Amino acid sequence: MLPSAEKHFLARILERRDLSPDLWLLRLDLGGPFEFRAGQYATLGFERDGKRTERAYSIVSSPYEKFLEFFLELVPDGALTPYLHTLGVGGTLLCRKIAKGRFTLDLRSGRTHHLLVSTVTGVAPFVSYVRTLYRDWKSGNTAMPGGHTVYCLQGASRSWEFGYREELEKVAAEAPWFKYVPTVSRPWEDTKWTGETGRADDVLGKYLNLWGLEPRETTAYLCGHPHMIENARGILEAAGWKKDAIFHELYFQPGKGTAPGLADSPAT
Ligand SMILES: Cc1cc2nc3c(=O)[nH]c(=O)nc-3n(C[C@H](O)[C@H](O)[C@H](O)COP(=O)(O)OP(=O)(O)OC[C@H]3O[C@@H](n4cnc5c(N)ncnc54)[C@H](O)[C@@H]3O)c2cc1C
């Protein structure tokens, strides 16, 4: 038994899909019950020489799914991701038994539009929202009565880094409540790309206008790279959004070693 078995699952990798040398998707079997809401994160890690290294990862899968899915980016000098990157199918890692986070859909404010803006792996909680809403919509058991609409803008350097583009485009083609625009910031490295270009925050103003989004009816959700979050927040506030209508999930702070709230700790 692991020293930390009370608080952690020893999760097993069921599936791994590499999108590029530094981006990959994992599907995990935790081997026990795990409750979460779409938009929350899990804490993954490993233990070595009596020291545990853990980081937060947004859950891609919907609570309706049996297994947990993640979208990961390798940080070459990082404490955890270089290790996670070595793990293949059958490999094991620690996952805390409790999900955390408040980056869930705002169904209380009365705002019926939801604008989701992400960079690369920052799309993870949004895929969880969309999978959950789609399933509810299909079963007629919607948590979003009254004409809610979800607008998703996803930025990446190149199109193969989106990870979930085909899935999200399929939902957008079918569901009248979902709009999706992927945008590529390095089109010169992806010459076959014919879609939107520019960083997510560069094209945000354009889509606020195109989609006719108004501050009093729209909650904005910003997830991923700190610069995108800062720029997008500035654009939204200049367009009239109040602070309480802008939610964010910051994946890291430039120059700081550990994700907010998580220190490497002795394994007790
Ligand atoms: C709520 C939450 C959800 C998250 N969800 C995801 C997710 O779904 N997928 C995911 O890949 N990551 C996610 N992260 C980031 C993750 O927790 C780790 O910070 C990241 O994987 C790096 O861990 P590391 O131990 O390898 O690097 P660290 O040792 O933590 O970091 C080393 C250095 O790299 C910087 N750094 C960290 N991450 C990046 C980055 N992406 N790009 C550039 N520099 C970076 C740090 O500021 C630090 O200076 C999330 C973070 C939070 C707080």
Side-chain angles (χ1 to χ4, degrees), residues 22-24 39-42 46 53-60 69-84 100-101 103 120-125 223-226 249-262 264:
D22 60 357
L23 287 170
W24 75 112
Q40 288 196 294
Y41 65 86
F46 74 104
T53 302
E54 297 179 293
R55 299 288 183 263
Y57 293 94
S58 302
I59 303 166
V60 172
E69 190 174 327
F70 297 95
F71 185 6
L72 303 172
E73 176 170 357
L74 174 67
V75 176
D77 300 328
L80 180 62
T81 51
Y83 172 75
L84 294 182
K100 288 196 175 165
F103 196 61
V120 200
T121 54
V123 79
C223 188
H225 198 287
E249 192 80 291
L250 186 70
Y251 273 8
F252 68 98
Q253 292 170 356
K256 299 220 171 139
T258 310
L262 277 180
D264 297 342

Side-chain angles (χ1 to χ4, degrees), residues 186-239:
R186 291 172 172 257
W188 58 91
E189 293 177 9
D190 187 359
T191 49
K192 292 202 178 119
W193 176 252
T194 55
E196 187 56 271
T197 56
R199 293 181 322 199
D201 41 309
D202 290 335
V203 299
L204 175 59
K206 170 179 168 183
Y207 284 92
L208 290 179
N209 285 330
L210 257 175
W211 287 332
L213 296 174
E214 295 291 339
R216 74 193 138 74
E217 16 177 82
T218 309
T219 301
Y221 309 68
L222 313 175
C223 188
H225 198 287
H227 294 149
M228 180 281 284
I229 292 178
E230 195 186 335
N231 291 342
R233 179 176 283 282
I235 292 163
L236 289 164
E237 286 184 5

Side-chain angles (χ1 to χ4, degrees), residues 161-179:
E161 296 169 356
F162 289 124
Y164 295 88
R165 178 161 69 94
E166 288 75 12
E167 176 178 344
L168 294 175
E169 283 177 344
K170 204 161 156 257
V171 177
E174 189 186 344
W177 49 265
F178 184 58
K179 317 275 174 227

Side-chain angles (χ1 to χ4, degrees), residues 4-250:
S4 56
E6 211 179 285
K7 291 187 182 163
H8 297 82
F9 293 115
L10 186 63
R12 194 167 52 86
I13 299 177
L14 295 176
E15 212 178 299
R16 170 176 174 148
R17 182 158 71 92
D18 286 78
L19 305 179
S20 71
D22 60 357
L23 287 170
W24 75 112
L25 315 177
L26 286 183
R27 186 178 289 263
L28 304 183
D29 181 0
L30 300 189
F34 183 80
E35 283 178 22
F36 69 99
R37 287 185 294 149
Q40 288 196 294
Y41 65 86
T43 308
L44 305 180
F46 74 104
E47 211 168 282
R48 189 182 288 156
D49 303 330
K51 188 177 156 234
R52 196 158 51 233
T53 302
E54 297 179 293
R55 299 288 183 263
Y57 293 94
S58 302
I59 303 166
V60 172
S61 37
S62 156
Y64 288 126
E65 293 173 66
K66 186 171 174 198
F67 302 115
L68 238 54
E69 190 174 327
F70 297 95
F71 185 6
L72 303 172
E73 176 170 357
L74 174 67
V75 176
D77 300 328
L80 180 62
T81 51
Y83 172 75
L84 294 182
H85 198 252
T86 64
L87 299 176
V89 172
T92 55
L93 60 150
L94 297 178
C95 177
R96 281 201 205 177
K97 290 185 173 174
I98 296 181
K100 288 196 175 165
R102 294 196 214 145
F103 196 61
T104 52
L105 265 176
D106 165 26
L107 298 176
R108 294 209 180 142
S109 66
R111 291 182 288 262
T112 54
H113 294 300
H114 304 270
L115 171 65
L116 322 178
V117 186
S118 64
T119 50
V120 200
T121 54
V123 79
F126 302 155
V127 175
S128 185
Y129 295 170
V130 172
R131 285 187 184 175
T132 306
L133 295 170
Y134 182 80
R135 158 96 178 235
D136 287 344
W137 179 60
K138 282 297 202 186
S139 67
N141 174 29
T142 176
M144 297 175 78
H148 286 254
T149 309
V150 178
Y151 305 82
C152 180
L153 197 52
Q154 185 190 9
S157 298
R158 297 159 287 253
S159 59
W160 50 89
E161 296 169 356
F162 289 124
Y164 295 88
R165 178 161 69 94
E166 288 75 12
E167 176 178 344
L168 294 175
E169 283 177 344
K170 204 161 156 257
V171 177
E174 189 186 344
W177 49 265
F178 184 58
K179 317 275 174 227
Y180 172 61
V181 172
T183 180
V184 156
S185 64
R186 291 172 172 257
W188 58 91
E189 293 177 9
D190 187 359
T191 49
K192 292 202 178 119
W193 176 252
T194 55
E196 187 56 271
T197 56
R199 293 181 322 199
D201 41 309
D202 290 335
V203 299
L204 175 59
K206 170 179 168 183
Y207 284 92
L208 290 179
N209 285 330
L210 257 175
W211 287 332
L213 296 174
E214 295 291 339
R216 74 193 138 74
E217 16 177 82
T218 309
T219 301
Y221 309 68
L222 313 175
C223 188
H225 198 287
H227 294 149
M228 180 281 284
I229 292 178
E230 195 186 335
N231 291 342
R233 179 176 283 282
I235 292 163
L236 289 164
E237 286 184 5
W241 264 261
K242 300 265 187 290
K243 285 190 172 26
D244 69 355
I246 307 174
F247 298 0
H248 73 260
E249 192 80 291
L250 186 70

